[in-house]
Amino acid sequence: MKFWKQLMCTARRKSPWLFHMNAGSCNGCDIEIIAALAPRYDAEQLGVLLQGSPRHADILVVTGPVTKKAVGAVKTVYDQVCGPKAVVAIGSCPATTNVFIDSRTLDGPLDKHLPVDVYVPGCPPRPDAIVAGVVKAATLLAERGYAAENIEAETVVIGDPEACTSCCESKPQEGAEVQP
Amino acid sequence: MNPVLSNLITALARFLIFPGLLFAVPAAWFFLWVERKAVALMQERVGPPFMQPFWDFVKLLGKSTPPRPGIAGFIMRAWPLIAVGSAAGAVGLLPVLPASGGFEGDLILLLALLELPSICIIAAGFSSRSIFGEIGSAREAALSVSYNIVFLLAIVSIAASQHTFRLEDLAALPSSPLRWLGVVAILICLPAKLHINPFSLPNAEQEIYSGPMTEYAGPELAMWELAHGLEWVAATGLVATLVAPHVALAWGTTLLAGGIFVALSVAVVLLLSVLAAATARVAIDSSVRFYWQCTLIFAALAISSALFVRFRS
């Protein structure tokens, strides 16, 4: 029985199957997900496969600030994914609704509706960050073991969000005079 | 020993050990890996690790399934098991080792068992009541009607030219141009039978999600993956048994029959994977037209020349 548990733990870590859900994304993060699966980054060497049906998936990959029209679809798709499952929020939009904050067409961010396990911030995030986020989610799935549902989600942020916000602010050039 | 009992033991050993389940299940995972790796290498990717199909299978066994109440749910759960059983039975019938038994007419049983998984897929798609499953099943049915004519005519032409429906005799008889024509016709049908490009219509991702398997999850999906792998072993093994004895005779040995069988099967898998990586999916009407218009002529030629050879001799 212990052997079987260890085997299952390894299998869950090594075979994360994704279902990609667009919840009103601008398509920027979506093409980065495709780039992570394409030959340059080749996520399949880690066992990652993009599946057509949410029933086949282990990890729900969501992009976009959740629009009002997408709320029902996001919840339905999350319920269709069979346990054990994890949710990865790709980009800044599902994490904070990003530049669309306070929009009357939104009902976000994502963690209002689903337990999010891993955040991959960025606008859009790099493909290697997406791969790292998916691998982190697969590791969480393996650690969760036989607890079928992710009731108590552990939140992980891939990369340094502070570095992202600070680089957007205008920094004074070295040696340049700063006018008050 | 009682001949009935010894026959039973031989049949069980072939079904359970070699070339049956004990050999065929690891071989199925290996062939699935070879296919994925070959496609990845063709696309300049690294590709999945060696154990990937095994990990996928174990992981799927540990996932939950949605509740399927009533008789419809029971039937839906039964289809993948029937598919696995019939594909494993088809592998067990292959005459890999010399003088391994068999009976008159086992070719017909082999063809029936090879066809059962595809019928299970059609039934599974319709019983899942998913619109994508129904479209996938309709495509699988249309494709099955098209390629099976050529497939059956090719095999019947080989059998008719050699005067036997017994697999072992068929494999042992001397080579002829007709046999090679038949092997080529079978190879043309295999991409459609195994649902790979350019005939990956029933499970076309990006179009109809996963076709008939859309509603399946967890252990049921694991059984479908296994059935698919066993279909690979059975279909490539059929080609290998038709070609292997000649290779073995050419090398002057029959001891290496098992090894040659595996090597030839892997060669066929590689050939089909390269074809799958190099081509795009064809539309359903073009696929049906390809089999009915382009290849049926050759199959008809093969069977008419086989009958001609038979009546002349």
Side-chain angles (χ1 to χ4, degrees), chain A residues 36-86:
Chain A
L37 299 163
R40 190 170 185 89
Y41 291 94
D42 185 29
E44 201 188 358
Q45 59 187 296
L46 300 168
V48 178
L49 269 190
L50 192 66
Q51 287 293 328
S53 165
R55 284 251 198 260
H56 301 181
D58 309 296
I59 297 172
L60 185 61
V61 172
V62 185
T63 56
V66 184
T67 56
K68 280 185 178 163
K69 291 249 181 192
V71 171
V74 167
K75 284 182 179 169
T76 312
V77 167
Y78 178 76
D79 290 340
Q80 298 293 314
V81 178
C82 295
K85 57 191 166 186

Side-chain angles (χ1 to χ4, degrees), chain B residues 82-298:
Chain B
I82 299 173
V84 168
S86 58
V91 178
L93 275 176
L94 293 174
V96 180
L97 299 175
S100 56
F103 50 91
E104 185 59 47
D106 55 2
L107 178 65
I108 296 169
L109 181 60
L110 177 75
L111 292 179
L113 287 176
L114 271 179
E115 192 49 30
L116 252 181
S118 134
I119 290 172
C120 287
I121 289 172
I122 297 170
F126 281 118
S127 62
S128 74
R129 295 198 189 172
S130 151
I131 182 74
F132 307 107
E134 284 174 14
I135 295 173
S137 289
R139 286 180 173 188
E140 167 76 23
L143 208 55
S144 164
V145 168
S146 321
Y147 74 76
N148 261 327
I149 302 282
V150 181
F151 187 70
L152 293 178
L153 281 181
I155 288 182
V156 167
S157 71
I158 295 174
S161 69
Q162 317 276 20
H163 297 249
T164 179
F165 272 113
R166 187 173 171 154
L167 272 167
E168 196 171 38
D169 298 347
L170 202 61
L173 281 169
S175 159
S176 70
L178 260 178
R179 174 197 288 265
W180 296 106
L181 194 66
V183 169
V184 171
I186 293 171
L187 278 177
I188 290 174
C189 294
L190 284 191
K193 208 167 182 57
L194 299 169
H195 312 138
I196 55 171
N197 273 345
F199 302 114
S200 60
L201 287 152
N203 51 355
E205 329 83 32
Q206 301 107 15
E207 278 179 38
I208 49 169
Y209 295 154
S210 308
M213 272 100 225
T214 303
E215 282 298 317
Y216 282 91
E220 303 157 356
L221 188 65
M223 287 301 137
W224 278 124
E225 294 279 321
L226 186 62
H228 185 56
L230 288 172
E231 265 190 294
W232 269 96
V233 180
T236 56
L238 177 65
V239 177
T241 44
L242 287 177
V243 179
H246 309 297
V247 179
L249 286 177
W251 288 356
T253 173
T254 49
L255 289 173
L256 289 172
I260 290 169
F261 169 78
V262 174
L264 277 171
S265 300
V266 173
V268 175
V269 172
L270 277 175
L271 183 75
L272 292 175
S273 312
V274 169
L275 177 78
T279 51
R281 190 178 302 134
V282 190
I284 183 72
D285 53 338
S286 312
S287 313
V288 171
R289 205 178 300 126
F290 171 76
Y291 280 114
W292 278 101
Q293 290 185 353
C294 306
T295 52
L296 189 61
I297 299 167
F298 294 103

Side-chain angles (χ1 to χ4, degrees), chain A residues 62-167:
Chain A
V62 185
T63 56
V66 184
T67 56
K68 280 185 178 163
K69 291 249 181 192
V71 171
V74 167
K75 284 182 179 169
T76 312
V77 167
Y78 178 76
D79 290 340
Q80 298 293 314
V81 178
C82 295
K85 57 191 166 186
V87 178
V88 180
I90 301 286
S92 302
C93 286
T96 61
T97 66
N98 207 6
V99 294
F100 307 106
I101 194 161
D102 290 338
S103 167
R104 63 191 166 83
T105 58
L106 293 189
D107 192 11
L110 181 66
D111 52 12
K112 203 166 142 189
H113 309 288
L114 307 181
V116 180
D117 298 284
V118 179
Y119 291 97
V120 185
C123 188
R126 288 181 57 82
D128 42 5
I130 295 176
V131 173
V134 167
V135 168
K136 185 66 204 174
T139 316
L140 286 178
L141 273 183
E143 284 166 1
R144 244 176 242 154
Y146 269 68
E149 302 295 326
N150 49 350
I151 306 298
E152 293 176 20
E154 181 193 349
T155 303
V156 180
V157 177
I158 299 293
D160 186 7
E162 295 299 322
C164 178
T165 49
S166 64
C167 73

Side-chain angles (χ1 to χ4, degrees), chain A residues 4 7-8 10-12 14-15 17 37-39 42 44-47 49 51-53 55-58 82-84, chain B residues 36 43-49 52 54-56 58-64 66 209-210 213-217 221:
Chain A
W4 176 246
L7 190 72
M8 187 62 76
T10 317
R12 280 180 180 146
K14 290 194 176 238
S15 157
W17 287 3
L37 299 163
D42 185 29
E44 201 188 358
Q45 59 187 296
L46 300 168
L49 269 190
Q51 287 293 328
S53 165
R55 284 251 198 260
H56 301 181
D58 309 296
C82 295
Chain B
R36 281 172 68 177
Q43 296 171 344
E44 292 192 20
R45 290 190 286 123
V46 177
Q52 192 58 48
F54 172 71
W55 295 127
D56 289 347
V58 173
K59 178 208 70 178
L60 284 174
L61 284 186
K63 277 181 80 74
S64 62
Y209 295 154
S210 308
M213 272 100 225
T214 303
E215 282 298 317
Y216 282 91
L221 188 65

Side-chain angles (χ1 to χ4, degrees), chain A residues 3-21:
Chain A
F3 170 74
W4 176 246
K5 273 189 178 177
Q6 278 179 347
L7 190 72
M8 187 62 76
C9 183
T10 317
R12 280 180 180 146
R13 203 179 69 242
K14 290 194 176 238
S15 157
W17 287 3
L18 311 182
F19 183 76
H20 171 210
M21 171 99 205

